[in-house]
């Protein structure tokens, strides 16, 4: 049986077994990418010692999120991130600062929740039956916007609910948090989009779908 077929709307359908394998791959990529920082090299001369690695201030975590959507579709992307969320909440240290339900108290937790709809949207847009680099680019871009939207909404809720339980926050806490978690890393994450799209394009080219 062909693992890849098209339905009546000319949309690419992926065999459930392959969908599961993409989801498992996406989960492993997300976990591994969480702890690997993104660097780029700036040449400052001709010798090997002159090539200075510079951090972009982000990790490869989002590569796992969106590469799964581009390769496996919306279901594989969603399953991978649900599994990632469950593993982290049930005490496996797969999040950047560990795990357990206590992570719900982290103001940045909304961004992790955003991986689920972000991966779904990316996969929905990236598997229309056509292998085109520009489709992957805007699929990842809109998925990234969804991740940040969810993160900001969580920050808003966190800012207004936390004081109810006696944790007073600075009056500028919300704007500072949005600047820290969205504004500051956004440009670096944008830089990753062509990388993810190109890798997805090459892999799908090799696999003929």
């Amino acid at each position: 049986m062909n693992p890849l077929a098209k339905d009546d709307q000319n949309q690419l359908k992926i065999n459930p077994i392959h969908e599961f394998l993409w989801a498992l791959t996406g989960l492993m990529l997300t976990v591994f990418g969480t702890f690997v920082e993104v660097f780029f090299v700036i040449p400052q001369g001709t010798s090997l010692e002159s090539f200075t690695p510079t951090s972009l201030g982000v990790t490869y975590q989002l590569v796992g999120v969106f590469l799964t959507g581009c390769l496996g579709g919306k279901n594989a992307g969603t399953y991978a991130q649900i599994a990632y969320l469950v593993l982290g909440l049930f005490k496996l240290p797969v999040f950047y600062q560990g795990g357990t339900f206590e992570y719900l108290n982290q103001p940045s937790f909304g961004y992790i929740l955003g991986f689920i709809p972000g991966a779904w949207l990316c996969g929905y847009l990236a598997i229309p039956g056509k292998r085109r680099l520009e489709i992957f680019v805007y699929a990842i871009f809109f998925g990234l916007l969804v991740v940040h939207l969810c993160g900001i909404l969580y920050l808003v809720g966190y800012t207004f609910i936390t004081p109810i339980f006696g944790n007073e926050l600075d009056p500028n806490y919300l704007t500072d948090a949005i600047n820290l978690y969205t504004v500051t890393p956004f440009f670096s994450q944008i830089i990753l989009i062509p990388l993810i799209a190109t890798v997805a394009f090459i892999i799908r080219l090799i696999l003929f779908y």
Side-chain angles (χ1 to χ4, degrees):
M1 179 181 294
N2 187 350
L4 302 172
K6 293 184 179 180
D7 61 16
D8 295 335
Q9 286 75 40
N10 199 35
Q11 297 286 308
L12 195 67
K13 294 183 68 176
I14 301 180
N15 183 293
I17 295 176
H18 290 78
E19 204 168 54
F20 170 78
L21 292 176
W22 281 127
L24 184 60
T25 301
L27 172 61
M28 292 187 293
L29 287 174
T30 305
V31 172
F32 178 75
T34 299
F35 305 102
V36 180
E37 196 169 357
V38 179
F39 287 88
F40 69 99
V41 178
I42 301 178
Q44 297 179 342
T46 57
S47 64
L48 292 177
E49 292 79 8
S50 65
F51 287 80
T52 305
T54 302
S55 173
L56 283 181
V58 296
T59 68
Y60 282 99
Q61 188 179 44
L62 289 174
V63 174
V65 175
F66 297 126
L67 190 59
T68 311
C70 289
L71 296 176
K74 61 182 187 297
N75 291 335
T78 302
Y79 299 154
Q81 298 315 311
I82 290 176
Y84 178 69
L85 182 69
V86 171
L87 287 177
L89 290 179
F90 284 91
K91 298 187 178 182
L92 290 179
V94 296
F95 298 153
Y96 189 73
Q97 294 179 319
T100 78
F101 273 97
E102 293 297 321
Y103 222 86
L104 293 171
N105 295 325
Q106 293 287 339
S108 60
F109 184 71
Y111 294 87
I112 298 177
L113 289 176
F115 290 172
I116 298 174
W120 183 93
L121 180 61
C122 178
Y124 175 79
L125 295 174
I127 306 287
K130 294 182 180 180
R131 181 180 59 245
R132 291 168 54 186
L133 189 60
E134 63 269 25
I135 289 178
F136 298 156
V137 169
Y138 78 68
I140 298 167
F141 176 75
F142 285 115
L144 180 62
L145 290 183
V146 169
V147 170
H148 281 282
L149 176 61
C150 292
I152 291 172
L153 289 175
Y154 196 89
L155 285 174
V156 171
Y158 181 89
T159 302
F160 287 99
I161 293 175
T162 298
I164 297 177
F165 297 95
N167 184 17
E168 293 297 327
L169 300 175
D170 186 272
N172 297 322
Y173 178 83
L174 180 58
T175 55
D176 290 343
I178 292 175
N179 181 66
L180 176 64
Y181 296 118
T182 289
V183 177
T184 300
F186 193 73
F187 177 74
S188 297
Q189 292 166 349
I190 289 291
I191 293 177
L192 287 177
I193 292 179
L195 169 65
I196 303 171
T198 302
V199 172
F201 180 85
I202 293 173
I203 292 176
R204 285 183 57 169
L205 184 65
I206 294 173
L207 297 179
F208 299 106
Y209 77 98

